[in-house]
Amino acid sequence: NAIPNWPSQTRQAFEDVTKASNEKEKARADAEKRKEEILNATAGKAYHDLEQAFDGYMTAKASKDLKLADAKMQEIEQLIRTQAMGEAGTRLREAESRKRKTIEDLRGDVDEFRSLLGEYEHNPTLLINRLWTETQMELFSSPGFTKRIYPAGQKQIRLWISPDPEEKKKQEEDKYKKKDKAKGDFSDVGETPGKPTIIP
């Protein structure tokens, strides 16, 4: 094949057209590659089937075939639920897990409510007092709860909503001392194994 020899006056224009065409093809190839990467990351290997199903859904919607559009949407949902392994599949499975946990929690709340309903209808005051007493006992017996006795006639009481910093620090020190003692290190408590500590 003979190499075309463009007239010198038009050579630059032909070269510009050729360059633009090459850049267009490169941009198209890059876009296609990026599309593959995004779809793979989003849906995994199932994205080819999802793409076809979505195209079918859009075609059905354009032709106002609602029955086919609904069938295609169900196909899309089924593919995402069963085959999608990328971000879409991960998010869907996380959502399904949260949904199940929420339903289980709500069922537990409903069961508890039903179990208390009869007692409430019979004697609401007694039930409220019992629940309040149980709540206090649970609160007071928790390990992070600090109890203090105030002198009679004390008019001002301060409640620590979060744990007392000094109390928490003491608890941490006691915890580490117990760990050291369990390992056989008695240096921090002034004791020697086998010998009692004499306090004058």
Side-chain angles (χ1 to χ4, degrees):
N1 294 335
I3 299 175
N5 187 15
W6 312 112
S8 58
Q9 297 87 343
T10 60
R11 182 174 299 151
Q12 186 61 47
F14 279 107
E15 287 178 355
D16 290 343
V17 169
T18 303
K19 181 181 177 182
S21 179
N22 291 337
E23 288 176 350
K24 174 185 173 183
E25 289 302 318
K26 184 178 183 303
R28 180 181 296 172
D30 289 344
E32 194 66 29
K33 181 181 177 182
R34 181 62 180 149
K35 169 191 166 186
E36 293 277 330
E37 290 173 353
I38 292 173
L39 290 174
N40 257 317
T42 304
K45 295 180 180 179
Y47 88 82
H48 288 293
D49 294 335
L50 279 168
E51 190 175 26
Q52 291 179 4
F54 186 74
D55 288 343
Y57 170 78
M58 295 302 292
T59 301
K61 286 282 286 185
S63 63
K64 297 184 179 180
D65 189 341
L66 300 182
K67 187 175 180 180
L68 179 59
D70 184 58
K72 286 296 178 182
M73 181 55 66
Q74 290 181 19
E75 181 183 349
I76 291 169
E77 291 176 356
Q78 182 69 13
L79 284 168
I80 293 174
R81 185 173 287 107
T82 60
Q83 295 185 35
M85 300 302 293
E87 184 179 353
T90 300
R91 289 192 178 186
L92 182 65
R93 280 182 282 277
E94 288 174 352
E96 290 283 354
S97 177
R98 285 195 296 270
K99 174 186 172 183
R100 284 194 299 271
K101 186 178 184 309
T102 302
I103 291 173
E104 288 171 4
D105 291 345
L106 288 173
R107 283 175 178 165
D109 291 343
V110 169
D111 291 342
E112 183 179 4
F113 174 80
R114 286 175 177 168
S115 69
L116 296 172
L117 181 60
E119 188 177 348
Y120 179 82
E121 290 174 342
H122 180 68
N123 191 333
T125 303
L126 181 63
L127 173 63
I128 292 170
N129 288 337
R130 179 176 70 80
L131 293 177
W132 174 232
T133 301
E134 289 176 358
T135 301
Q136 290 182 84
M137 293 300 295
E138 183 179 352
L139 177 64
F140 294 155
S141 62
S142 62
F145 187 84
T146 304
K147 297 171 281 292
R148 289 186 172 86
I149 299 175
Y150 287 86
Q154 181 80 26
K155 292 184 178 180
Q156 186 181 44
I157 298 176
R158 293 185 180 183
L159 299 176
W160 289 86
I161 303 303
S162 57
D164 185 341
E166 291 299 323
E167 187 71 22
K168 190 172 182 181
K169 181 181 177 183
K170 185 177 181 303
Q171 289 175 358
E172 289 292 322
E173 289 174 353
D174 291 343
K175 183 174 73 173
Y176 285 116
K177 284 180 181 179
K178 287 179 182 178
K179 283 184 179 179
D180 289 339
K181 192 171 181 179
K183 293 177 182 177
D185 180 4
F186 296 86
S187 60
D188 60 336
V189 292
E191 295 182 0
T192 304
K195 290 179 66 178
T197 300
I198 301 173
I199 302 175

